[in-house]
Amino acid sequence: MTVVQSFRTALRIVTETPVLVAFALAFGLIGALNSASGPTGAVGSLLQLLAVPALIGAFYTVADGARPGSDTDLRATTAAQRYYVSLFGATLLAGLVVVVVAMVVGGSVLGYIGFDRFNAVLNGSASLTLVELGALGVAGVALMAIVYVFTFFDTAVVLDGKTAGGSLSRSVDFVFGNLRHVVGYAVVATAVTSVVDLPVLWLVTLDGATTVTGAVTAFQAPMPAVDIAVVAVGSTVTTLVGRTYKVCFYRACTDETPGSDPEAADDEWSV
């Protein structure tokens, strides 16, 4: 029960390690600024590129050190500096891979549906057929699968000391070497974060839109300060739980030292 036990351990770490909230809040604020438009969005994008690698190094190191039985004693500030270059490079590489794959998948779907028809759907003058919706669904699942293949590059850098290029290949090896567990992890992580992300996306980012045209219009409109704050809070919660869970799950699958297994951790946490 690695998937469930890791999640239980993550929740316990979150409640016992308040400093993680501060890091998660920084993630949330940057993510909210990045989703805004105009100069605010530009600042958010710059912070996303330059500051997040340092935050990842610090957050993962603190979360790893908070695990029961962990022998990690690296300071967060030291970790932020030590892993910055590798995390920065790996983020660029992973982003490039995902963009290329998204272009191929998206281009294939667009070619199947047709540009004019797709544009008509966005304008509200046409609607997708069930077959076309199915094609979009298959494309979305395929893209998500590719994203998950590379999603553990950051844990590979911080927890395994991999370089930028080595972290991507390590993520691929980890996913296919623990495929059954990774599928379970993906289901749990997606379900947990969606509880917060989906309502915020629909009610705040998309302004409760019920049509494609309304969603596109709302997404392109400037985001007021109140909405940015709500997005920041939601992102803080999902980051706090999601990234801590990611560290615990990765360690549970790779670390064979005493106390690193979630089931053993439960014994140490018990009263």
Side-chain angles (χ1 to χ4, degrees):
M1 297 297 291
T2 301
V3 173
V4 176
Q5 295 288 358
S6 297
F7 184 69
R8 291 173 57 191
T9 303
L11 292 180
R12 289 171 174 175
I13 290 175
V14 166
T15 59
E16 295 290 334
T17 317
V19 69
L20 289 177
V21 178
F23 289 127
L25 181 59
F27 275 109
L29 289 173
I30 292 174
L33 293 176
N34 189 43
S35 65
S37 58
T40 302
V43 172
S45 297
L46 188 62
L47 291 173
Q48 184 80 25
L49 177 66
L50 299 179
V52 165
L55 286 173
I56 290 175
F59 188 103
Y60 285 7
T61 298
V62 172
D64 187 39
R67 291 181 307 110
S70 172
D71 58 359
T72 301
D73 58 0
L74 188 64
R75 292 172 59 89
T77 53
T78 302
Q81 298 174 26
R82 175 178 297 181
Y83 302 120
Y84 183 84
V85 173
S86 293
L87 284 169
F88 181 80
T91 300
L92 293 179
L93 288 174
L96 179 61
V97 170
V98 172
V99 167
V100 171
V101 172
M103 290 177 63
V104 173
V105 174
S108 300
V109 174
L110 186 60
Y112 172 73
I113 296 176
F115 180 81
D116 291 338
R117 177 165 171 72
F118 190 76
N119 189 51
V121 172
L122 293 179
N123 292 331
S125 58
S127 58
L128 294 173
T129 65
L130 290 177
V131 175
E132 291 169 341
L133 285 173
L136 283 175
V138 171
V141 171
L143 182 58
M144 184 178 295
I146 295 298
V147 170
Y148 259 101
V149 167
F150 295 102
T151 195
F152 293 98
F153 76 87
D154 49 4
T155 49
V157 170
V158 179
L159 304 182
D160 289 341
K162 297 295 183 180
T163 60
S167 66
L168 268 66
S169 61
R170 171 59 182 146
S171 180
V172 174
D173 292 340
F174 174 80
V175 169
F176 286 104
N178 302 274
L179 189 58
R180 180 171 59 87
H181 292 318
V182 170
V183 170
Y185 163 82
V187 171
V188 173
T190 301
V192 170
T193 55
S194 293
V195 171
V196 176
D197 285 341
L198 290 183
V200 171
L201 175 64
W202 182 50
L203 297 175
V204 179
T205 306
L206 300 182
D207 199 23
T210 57
T211 63
V212 174
T213 304
V216 172
T217 301
F219 185 78
Q220 294 175 341
M223 186 179 292
V226 174
D227 287 355
I228 292 177
V230 173
V231 172
V233 172
S235 182
T236 297
V237 174
T238 55
T239 295
L240 180 62
V241 177
R243 289 190 180 272
T244 305
Y245 179 34
K246 190 176 186 180
V247 169
C248 292
F249 173 75
Y250 189 86
R251 279 299 197 198
C253 291
T254 61
D255 203 344
E256 298 180 353
T257 57
S260 62
D261 182 77
E263 294 185 7
D266 277 352
D267 292 336
E268 295 189 41
W269 279 100
S270 60
V271 178

